[in-house]
Amino acid sequence: MTFVPAPFKLSLIAVALGLTLGAPAYGQSLQEAVEQTLQTNPDVLIDASKRLSTDEAVKGARGGYLPKVDLLLGTGRERSNNSSTGGTDLTLTRREASLTLTQMLFDGFGVSSEVDRNQARVESAAHKLAGTSEQVGLQAIEAYLEVLRQRELVELTRANLGAHDRTLDQVKIRAESGVGRKADFEQIQARSGLAKANFTAAETNLRDAETNFLRVVGVTPVDLSKPNQPEPGALPKSMEEAVQLAFDNNPVLKSAMADVAAAEAQNRAAKSFMYPRFDLELGAAENENLDGVVGDNDERYAMLRMRYNLFKGGSDKARVDETAQLTNEAREIARRTRQQLEQSTRLSWNAMVSAGERLPSLKQHADASLATRDAYTKQFSIGQRTLLDMLDSENEHFTASSNYVTGQYVELFAHYRVLADMGQLLGVLGVSPRAETMVEARQ
């Protein structure tokens, strides 16, 4: 099982582009979007149903502690030839009616082991649901931030297109008056066409982000608001502390550990067949015309019965060995899960630190490119800069601004990613977990 981030485009963009993020949305806060997702996401609902089904399995296992009552009714024709019939054939109408109560007294701890196994399955399912909720919540956050990022990029692209259009008008007037050069007019036309294509691409990316938001959250985005970073105290001070918190709190790891407990209980249940079984049986029968004896044949009894299988072809021993290996498998899966969790937490922490360290440089680049663009624009107006110089400064400002916008969202998302690895995402957001994630401690 993997932890972070499913396809997470923000992380991919951060690597490929060096950091980038904006757009319209749904009239809801980030917390509300995550809450909405947990109520409608199919993956969450699937795990919730599985969690509820394990509750019924526990009830079924506990039924082994209760007495079993069997009613038998029968009627038919019977032909007998025995000492009761004097050696002659006698055909009678046979009738049977009996009621038997059987109470298990000792079964080699089979029922108790089955109860333990299913209670462990309940814990596993509950923790798995909690883990799915954390990851689906993280996907909702990614979709939410991506819409906001694309929205800001559309505005930057719109402004870039407007600057090119204004320059085009200015150069066109110069060319028509004979002051400007034709090459300048052709150059700005080419750059303006590229700016229009970039704007169209940005709008397409925004619509894609909105479509993904609808898929993940379940509603159309409208009026989203940029969230603040988690409170400083929500995150640990070091990577090692983050890893330890992940070990202590990550629900996927807890689910794997519960699977180990379930496998151990299954092994104990398999061993129960190696013990004798003791049952208390109470019975009453109202029979008629049995075995050639005409008339009633009634009985009442109370019996302590022992059943002990002496040979079964080695199948019971094989089942014990099989469940022992299944227990080893569950332990190794839990160990692998722990290793994956540690790797994921460390990667998430590194991504968060890297994004935070790069953000000041990205802002410096954006601010410096803005100042350069403004200066070159003024200098171009008085003939101290060429058109190409001004257009290059405009494009550099657009690229730097886009990277800075993305850098802000990547850093923000990186914080939430670390929280998800530690199993604390929903708690920090103030989102109540689903009721199905709650379990009572095993006795």
Side-chain angles (χ1 to χ4, degrees), residues 191-249:
R191 293 294 186 93
S192 181
L194 179 59
K196 290 178 182 178
N198 289 338
F199 180 65
T200 300
E203 289 189 314
T204 300
N205 291 337
L206 173 56
R207 288 192 294 271
D208 290 345
E210 292 173 339
T211 300
N212 185 59
F213 185 97
L214 175 61
R215 179 188 66 83
V216 174
V217 180
V219 293
T220 303
V222 181
D223 299 332
L224 301 186
S225 56
K226 186 175 181 179
N228 297 320
Q229 283 192 358
E231 295 294 329
L235 289 166
K237 294 181 174 56
S238 69
M239 177 191 294
E240 298 305 322
E241 186 179 350
V243 170
Q244 188 57 53
L245 286 171
F247 287 161
D248 294 340
N249 300 303

Side-chain angles (χ1 to χ4, degrees), residues 7 52 78 129 285 314:
L52 294 176
E78 178 187 70
L129 171 59

Side-chain angles (χ1 to χ4, degrees), residues 111-418:
V111 170
S112 61
S113 297
E114 269 300 291
V115 171
D116 290 344
R117 184 178 74 87
N118 283 288
Q119 285 181 329
R121 289 181 59 224
V122 167
E123 292 183 22
S124 175
H127 292 314
K128 185 175 186 299
L129 171 59
T132 300
S133 299
E134 290 278 320
Q135 290 304 311
V136 167
L138 187 62
Q139 292 174 23
I141 292 172
E142 181 197 21
Y144 192 102
L145 296 180
E146 179 67 4
V147 171
L148 291 174
R149 182 181 79 92
Q150 292 297 341
R151 180 180 184 180
E152 291 195 33
L153 290 183
V154 165
E155 293 306 313
L156 288 175
T157 311
R158 191 194 311 276
N160 183 57
L161 176 59
H164 280 79
D165 286 344
R166 289 190 297 273
T167 303
L168 176 62
D169 292 340
Q170 184 179 1
V171 172
K172 182 178 180 181
I173 293 173
R174 289 186 177 187
E176 291 175 347
S177 63
V179 177
R181 293 174 296 182
K182 182 179 179 182
D184 285 346
F185 183 61
E186 292 173 346
Q187 176 68 35
I188 185 55
Q189 276 189 313
R191 293 294 186 93
S192 181
L194 179 59
K196 290 178 182 178
N198 289 338
F199 180 65
T200 300
E203 289 189 314
T204 300
N205 291 337
L206 173 56
R207 288 192 294 271
D208 290 345
E210 292 173 339
T211 300
N212 185 59
F213 185 97
L214 175 61
R215 179 188 66 83
V216 174
V217 180
V219 293
T220 303
V222 181
D223 299 332
L224 301 186
S225 56
K226 186 175 181 179
N228 297 320
Q229 283 192 358
E231 295 294 329
L235 289 166
K237 294 181 174 56
S238 69
M239 177 191 294
E240 298 305 322
E241 186 179 350
V243 170
Q244 188 57 53
L245 286 171
F247 287 161
D248 294 340
N249 300 303
N250 186 276
V252 178
L253 180 58
K254 289 182 178 181
S255 177
M257 297 306 298
D259 286 339
V260 173
E264 291 172 342
Q266 186 178 27
N267 179 249
R268 294 195 298 272
K271 292 177 180 178
S272 69
F273 293 100
M274 313 296 288
Y275 292 86
R277 177 187 175 100
F278 293 86
D279 293 292
L280 173 64
E281 291 187 9
L282 304 178
E286 300 284 344
N287 303 318
E288 184 179 351
N289 300 334
L290 299 186
D291 301 326
V293 178
V294 178
D296 295 338
N297 189 333
D298 301 337
E299 59 182 6
R300 308 286 185 272
Y301 64 89
M303 299 289 294
L304 175 64
R305 299 189 188 276
M306 184 196 82
R307 296 176 176 85
Y308 192 16
N309 174 258
L310 299 179
F311 183 70
K312 199 177 178 181
S315 59
D316 290 339
K317 177 64 167 57
R319 178 59 179 164
V320 171
D321 293 342
E322 176 191 2
T323 53
Q325 293 304 319
L326 291 175
T327 301
N328 291 336
E329 177 188 357
R331 291 194 183 109
E332 291 305 313
I333 290 174
R335 190 164 70 91
R336 182 184 65 188
T337 301
R338 183 182 174 93
Q339 291 174 343
Q340 291 175 337
L341 175 59
E342 179 175 5
Q343 179 190 32
S344 177
T345 305
R346 290 182 182 278
L347 291 174
S348 297
W349 184 270
N350 288 335
M352 181 185 70
V353 172
S354 175
E357 290 176 346
R358 298 188 69 176
L359 199 57
S361 298
L362 292 172
K363 184 178 187 305
Q364 181 182 14
H365 184 204
D367 291 342
S369 65
L370 174 62
T372 301
R373 191 277 309 269
D374 292 344
Y376 277 29
T377 299
K378 293 177 182 178
Q379 292 169 6
F380 172 73
S381 298
I382 58 177
Q384 292 183 348
R385 289 285 177 183
T386 66
L387 175 64
L388 188 59
D389 289 337
M390 187 185 72
L391 292 178
D392 286 346
S393 68
E394 181 67 45
N395 285 337
E396 182 178 1
H397 169 60
F398 169 69
T399 300
S401 299
S402 298
N403 285 344
Y404 179 53
V405 166
T406 294
Q408 295 177 69
Y409 283 102
V410 168
E411 186 198 28
L412 183 56
F413 177 74
H415 284 78
Y416 290 118
R417 177 177 162 180
V418 173

Side-chain angles (χ1 to χ4, degrees), residues 16-27:
L17 176 33
L19 287 100
T20 326
L21 278 171
Y26 164 71

